[in-house]
Amino acid sequence: MSEPNEVYEAVFGQLKTSRSRKSLEALYAVCKEHYEAGAVDFRIATIAKLGASRGVPSAQTIRNKTGEPYRAVIEAWQALGSQKKQAIKAQNTPSGE
């Protein structure tokens, strides 16, 4: 699994237009804030809704073929969120009682 920042940096360098870069920056910022707030839900629809007013592409745009860079960043955050979810679950599960 790659760290979200590493994925973001790799994808950012591949984008050709400033509009795509601004959208990716907004998406990354929304995902980071969402994670720092303790959230573990990084579905495309959730992130698109949270970032709609900040320049994040719509859910359909992210799902389209051209949305691969955005999906890669979301998937990296999703993996981090899943790790966090498992850690919380492990803390709440009594061990051997």
Side-chain angles (χ1 to χ4, degrees):
M1 184 212 58
S2 297
E3 290 293 319
N5 192 44
E6 293 171 7
V7 174
Y8 168 76
E9 294 293 333
V11 169
F12 189 83
Q14 296 173 356
L15 295 177
K16 295 177 179 143
T17 66
S18 62
R19 182 176 180 185
S20 295
R21 288 180 177 177
K22 285 181 184 178
S23 295
L24 188 68
E25 287 173 354
L27 182 129
Y28 181 81
V30 167
C31 287
K32 184 175 181 181
E33 291 168 11
H34 193 52
Y35 179 80
E36 289 173 350
V40 293
D41 175 16
F42 287 89
R43 290 176 293 172
I44 291 172
T46 301
I47 299 304
K49 189 182 292 185
L50 289 172
S53 65
R54 297 175 57 185
V56 172
S58 69
Q60 186 59 49
T61 300
I62 295 169
R63 287 186 185 105
N64 289 342
K65 184 176 181 178
T66 57
E68 176 58 35
Y70 307 117
R71 288 195 307 274
V73 171
I74 290 173
E75 287 167 5
W77 282 106
Q78 178 65 50
L80 201 59
S82 293
Q83 286 181 347
K84 187 177 195 177
K85 189 176 184 178
Q86 289 173 350
I88 291 169
K89 196 173 190 180
Q91 284 179 341
N92 293 335
T93 304
S95 57
E97 290 183 15

